[in-house]
Amino acid sequence: RIDQEGNIKDLCSVQSPEGAPNTETVKGQIYEYSGHRNKIQPIHGVQGLCTNVHGHIANFLSFDEALLLSYVNKYWYQIMRMNIQSRTSFDSTDCHPLVMTDHRIMFVTHKCREIRSLSVKQCLQITDFGVSYAFRMLRSKLIEFDCSGSDLISDKSLLILGFCCPWLQTLRVAACPKITNMGVECVLSRCFGITELNVANTNVTNSTLFATRNCRNLKSLNLSCCFEVSDQGII
């Protein structure tokens, strides 16, 4: 317990500098051992808030913002490390387009093994190499993948996606010129829980539509600007 002058009344909760911890939380305010006998002083500013408050603040930060904050000091590193590792989604639109490369997506999925939703929309520098690494890291935890508008992602990525992520539910590959029947059909033949498929403006044909027969839970199908699809495939 602490009196109004900052003197310690109960030494059970605050230890000496040689022990750990050397702080105590009273009514949301963190106090730190000052080095003087039975004397402590409050920690002011943002760092003086409770750890759970910091964790709540971190939930409103993008991945890049949390990463930058982790470089401030050891205290923020511990807070942000727990936040980053527990993230369940990553959206490339939260980052600057120029930094979204294979190295970045590999770094993200290596640090965040709990990601269930991965979006790399309109990432013109990400290739099959980076995305394939991500699939191998996340494996069965990944249930949603969106690479719409990414010109360098091809069927090679979808082949690995089908083998590594059998619980996938959402696949969006709209406006990916290198995506064909082969890649989409591989995913559909292994991921029977697909509920949403977006292949708009791709080179898929009726063959892909025939493969959707295995997906009993399919609720949303986008075929906009798929000029190789005919009435026969839809029926």
Side-chain angles (χ1 to χ4, degrees):
R1 296 191 303 273
I2 307 166
D3 60 18
Q4 295 180 352
E5 298 179 356
N7 296 317
I8 300 175
K9 295 297 185 181
D10 184 359
L11 296 179
C12 294
S13 58
V14 179
Q15 302 178 10
S16 65
E18 298 178 356
N22 64 346
T23 62
E24 180 184 17
T25 302
V26 178
K27 294 183 179 180
Q29 173 65 58
I30 298 180
Y31 292 82
E32 183 179 34
Y33 184 83
S34 64
H36 301 289
R37 183 177 180 81
N38 292 352
K39 192 76 173 179
I40 64 174
Q41 58 186 8
I43 303 177
H44 299 289
V46 177
Q47 192 166 327
L49 299 174
C50 297
T51 303
N52 60 343
V53 176
H54 290 157
H56 184 66
I57 293 174
N59 292 332
F60 292 92
L61 302 178
S62 67
F63 180 84
D64 278 4
E65 291 170 339
L67 186 63
L68 289 174
L69 191 54
S70 68
Y71 295 144
V72 173
N73 54 38
K74 291 183 179 180
Y75 177 81
W76 281 109
Y77 171 77
Q78 295 295 335
I79 297 295
M80 292 300 106
R81 185 184 66 172
M82 292 186 294
N83 176 268
I84 290 175
Q85 291 177 345
S86 63
R87 296 201 171 201
T88 58
S89 64
F90 177 80
D91 192 339
S92 60
T93 58
D94 294 334
C95 305
H96 194 282
L98 295 180
V99 303
M100 281 309 302
T101 61
D102 285 340
H103 182 270
R104 170 51 65 93
I105 198 64
M106 292 167 67
F107 175 80
V108 170
T109 52
H110 179 76
K111 294 291 184 181
C112 311
R113 301 293 181 88
E114 301 298 322
I115 289 179
R116 298 171 62 83
S117 175
L118 179 64
S119 174
V120 289
K121 294 185 296 184
Q122 299 177 352
C123 293
L124 303 181
Q125 300 185 68
I126 291 182
T127 67
D128 293 326
F129 181 75
V131 172
S132 299
Y133 179 90
F135 297 152
R136 293 188 179 98
M137 289 291 102
L138 303 177
R139 291 196 173 271
S140 58
K141 293 182 180 180
L142 187 66
I143 62 174
E144 180 177 339
F145 177 63
D146 188 348
C147 64
S148 302
S150 298
D151 294 344
L152 300 181
I153 295 179
S154 69
D155 288 335
K156 294 180 181 179
S157 295
L158 297 190
L159 293 176
I160 297 177
L161 176 63
F163 280 94
C164 293
C165 309
W167 300 109
L168 191 73
Q169 298 178 10
T170 300
L171 176 63
R172 304 186 186 102
V173 292
C176 293
K178 294 187 177 182
I179 296 296
T180 65
N181 290 328
M182 181 176 65
V184 179
E185 289 176 18
C186 177
V187 174
L188 296 178
S189 65
R190 293 181 175 274
C191 305
F192 301 118
I194 290 287
T195 60
E196 180 183 346
L197 178 63
N198 188 343
V199 291
N201 197 20
T202 59
N203 297 317
V204 300
T205 65
N206 291 336
S207 177
T208 292
L209 296 185
F210 297 150
T212 59
R213 296 174 180 175
N214 298 324
C215 304
R216 302 296 183 180
N217 299 321
L218 186 63
K219 299 178 180 179
S220 175
L221 176 62
N222 191 337
L223 299 171
S224 303
C225 299
C226 293
F227 301 110
E228 300 297 326
V229 175
S230 65
D231 294 339
Q232 182 181 2
I234 297 176
I235 296 174

